Amino acid sequence: METASMSLLHALKEVLSEQQVTENQTVRELHGRDESYHKESLPDLVVFPETAQQVSEIVKLANKYEVPIVPFGLGSSLEGHVIPYEHGITIDFSLMNKILEVRESDFLVRVQPGVTRTQLNKELKKYGLFFSVDPGADATLGGMAATNASGTTSVKYGVMRDQVRDLEVVLADGSIIHTGNLAAKSSSGYHLNGLFVGSEGTLGCFTELTLNVYGIPEHVMAARASFPSLNDAVEAVVSILQAGVPIARVELVDEPSMKQVNLFSETSYKERPTLFLEFHGNEAGLKQDVEFTREIVEDHHCLDIEFETDNAARNRLWEARHNLAYAFIHGHPGKKMMVTDVCLPISELSGAISHAREAVDLLGLPGGIVGHVGDGNYHTLLMIDMSNQDEIEKAEKFNEQIVLYALERGGTCTGEHGVGVGKQKYQQKEHGQALHVMENIKLALDPDNLFNPNKILKTKDRG
Amino acid sequence: METASMSLLHALKEVLSEQQVTENQTVRELHGRDESYHKESLPDLVVFPETAQQVSEIVKLANKYEVPIVPFGLGSSLEGHVIPYEHGITIDFSLMNKILEVRESDFLVRVQPGVTRTQLNKELKKYGLFFSVDPGADATLGGMAATNASGTTSVKYGVMRDQVRDLEVVLADGSIIHTGNLAAKSSSGYHLNGLFVGSEGTLGCFTELTLNVYGIPEHVMAARASFPSLNDAVEAVVSILQAGVPIARVELVDEPSMKQVNLFSETSYKERPTLFLEFHGNEAGLKQDVEFTREIVEDHHCLDIEFETDNAARNRLWEARHNLAYAFIHGHPGKKMMVTDVCLPISELSGAISHAREAVDLLGLPGGIVGHVGDGNYHTLLMIDMSNQDEIEKAEKFNEQIVLYALERGGTCTGEHGVGVGKQKYQQKEHGQALHVMENIKLALDPDNLFNPNKILKTKDRG
């Protein structure tokens, strides 16, 4: 698109200001990768719209010039979602970063897609509220909705999809729709909220989100419990869930990962398979939940359980957990991270994690296992030398082994990171004939394959 | 379809047994209505499949003979969903009523669509589990999924859509897909679970459901609180929610409705605006929640609050609440019930209910207001003489007034009953351009408009 690109550029500059459109090499490079091991590819142009109307104009021009569009938040995706392998226009939403409305008494906020979760939480704190979804990275809310992100708190508060009451979306023809409303529930029409959340920019561009928020809990208690084996730790979680303890967070960190945590966060936590736990509730109820949990973990050979009652220690604990991926990256300079992301029914979790641990040990690559085990979701973090083809192949084969194990037991290839390009090869196996329904929906909503082509689904070439 | 009907009948009898296909007038009449005021219309044939494979064969034949299909549970829908205005084949799922699997430790059940919620709960009790969605009527789970039903407990446990992990669905071409998996969360592919739940039989026929279930709570406490005015009762609920009390049920019943309850259930509850409440949790936490709630309702001029601690009294209380619709019907022999079903953001609820109460008083028809007020969802129950055109018109105009009030304030025309034919006229107003997306999805998945034509969306005639 050599000459076409010139007239597209010209046309874009008619609907956007000079500074909102760029061909700058450095900017393009920043939009040619994400945080994963997937290979780079640059967009032809990067645009920075400020309004839904501008997004609509960009989409119409992309349509006219037959150029694909990739929406971009902060690039913290882990499966190559935002990498424009077909080039074209990347829409960067960083200028659409306003918190538009806090409906305090409705427990709702209306935000632009470029707002990050920590930015939102900082504002919400003034109202005694918080936004629950916490994937670790300080991602944008638009990006989190696009991948149906979740994380440490979803065992209690649900995933991103559960928080979305309404999206403003620019469709392939440039029209602007709302997918929901402000009511807590609705049985009106097809559930477009659910369809667009997790669509990874393949069906439209989000220009506004209305999200559920929660009151900051009256009392919070955090704990660390260490175990002689990974299996004991996982079985303890299963028992806590089965006992009906309304736990707010329960994270597993294995021994190699605890070592990385200590190295990076300058903590001196015991280097054993560890559960990080959190409880939210009223004082009396919490006390009873905590006591019950202590009994359960002791039944599972817990070596020691320590409670963090004050705010600072609690924050330190969760920061250590959150920094884990960075700790691995920091500890292995020059290498890239590959993360598995399967999720299984809880009864299959213990077997799955044992299987993964054995496979990592056989692999001979540095790696740890961590997980949002309350949901049945765990990650294997593998550090790979991207110049070593053998390592890459071993890691990919390992990922496949982990995925197939999960799929054979009713699980999914991705619990929270999404499909992007990395999990595309498992879609047929996971969804069977249902993949054809997804393809039909994509074709119905984006007939010219304008939006993030070849993500989630392998779509036909633009020719 | 006079002669075509004969060969269709013949073809159906080749894939089903003699008793599974009928043209019997009485059976057709039973499948020509639901529990609403919407007018009757009979199917040409009623079939009773026993397997997904048989449903697939029926769909293929319907395709071949160009005859529409309406899936039918127990006919407890309230907006004419199951009434076959285009005639054709009604698929009655009453023979597919098996509980296939209880995955106790995964908190999952796998059921056929004809299983009713009380049937399921009776079985689950053996495992110390329960199914949370409780719309009042003993509907089938297939029907509840089709309309995204909810009810008294959704303020804590969520609506039907939140419980569905997987559906087996027969599509318009007769193929059989699975929309989900057994994992607690997934970011793999488009969210077909969410799309098919609430699709009211317009996209496919459900032949199996995998649903979340919950542990029966350790402790349960129920209460009735009466107030001097409807407004005080509603404001009390808003304050309870805003205080973050994790209430499991909170139902509003107005004065005229309390009178009907007492008449029908032989109770002697105070005939005042009343809240029915329920709390689930551990003993200590519950005590604190209950005390806090007492303080809040007293701040809102509560006249008296009575706690029902024992199981029998608690069941009596909820039975009285559940029988309310039947109490109205029983109290007005010969009349039919029209129920409004809007849902609003919680901050708009008090104004909406005041507005509805005033409008009912002006109407001069017998009517009560009840509601799942924790969700912002309320119903006006109106008893209408269907032979009196003036009453019908007044009631329809009233319904429209209630809907428009909700839509203007970010609400929805239906919180839980669904669209069917009754709420179709509001779809354009509620969804705007998004309605076109829904039409495109319908066309992509059911190009020949085979499934429940002209429900939710006005679809083109089969010609």
Side-chain angles (χ1 to χ4, degrees), chain A residues 103 105-107 147-148 150-151 154 159 161-162 171 175-178 181-192 194-195 198-200 202-203 218 241-242 282-285 288-289 343-347 372 375 377 410-416 418-419 427 430-431 433-434 437-438 440-442 444-445 456-457, chain B residues 103 105-107 147-148 150-151 154 159 161-162 171 175-178 181-192 194-195 198-200 202-203 218 241-242 282-285 288-289 343-347 372 375 377 410-416 418-419 427 430-431 433-434 437-438 440-442 444-445 456-457:
Chain A
R103 286 179 72 122
S105 58
D106 287 318
F107 293 82
T147 53
N148 188 30
S150 50
S154 58
V159 301
R161 188 173 280 123
D162 301 311
L171 298 177
S175 63
I176 302 174
I177 63 162
H178 279 262
N181 55 58
L182 304 185
K185 64 182 194 186
S186 174
S187 288
S188 181
Y190 298 147
H191 191 50
L192 298 186
L195 181 65
S199 64
E200 302 187 3
T202 65
L203 300 178
E218 199 191 330
L241 292 173
Q242 284 167 359
N282 70 39
E283 198 173 2
Q288 198 167 329
D289 286 339
C343 189
L344 300 100
I346 199 77
S347 65
H372 314 306
D375 303 319
N377 181 211
T412 175
C413 69
T414 169
E416 55 180 17
V419 177
Q427 294 298 290
E430 176 163 345
H431 301 295
Q433 291 255 50
V437 175
M438 298 179 198
N440 282 345
I441 291 172
K442 167 74 175 175
L445 269 63
I456 302 185
L457 306 163
Chain B
R103 286 179 71 120
S105 56
D106 287 319
F107 292 83
T147 52
N148 189 30
S150 50
S154 58
V159 301
R161 188 174 279 122
D162 300 311
L171 298 176
S175 64
I176 303 174
I177 63 161
H178 279 262
N181 54 59
L182 303 185
K185 63 183 195 186
S186 174
S187 288
S188 181
Y190 299 146
H191 191 50
L192 298 186
L195 180 65
S199 63
E200 302 186 2
T202 65
L203 300 178
E218 199 190 331
L241 293 172
Q242 284 168 358
N282 70 39
E283 197 172 3
Q288 198 167 329
D289 286 340
C343 188
L344 299 100
I346 199 79
S347 65
H372 313 306
D375 303 319
N377 181 211
T412 175
C413 71
T414 169
E416 55 180 16
V419 177
Q427 294 298 290
E430 177 162 345
H431 300 295
Q433 291 255 51
V437 175
M438 298 180 196
N440 282 344
I441 291 172
K442 167 73 176 175
L445 270 62
I456 302 185
L457 306 163

Side-chain angles (χ1 to χ4, degrees), chain A residues 110 163-168 177-182 193 208-211:
Chain A
R110 199 158 55 85
Q163 318 309 329
V164 173
R165 289 230 183 146
D166 183 38
L167 296 171
E168 184 183 75
I177 63 162
H178 279 262
T179 59
N181 55 58
L182 304 185
N193 275 345
E208 205 177 288
L209 303 90
T210 301
L211 303 169

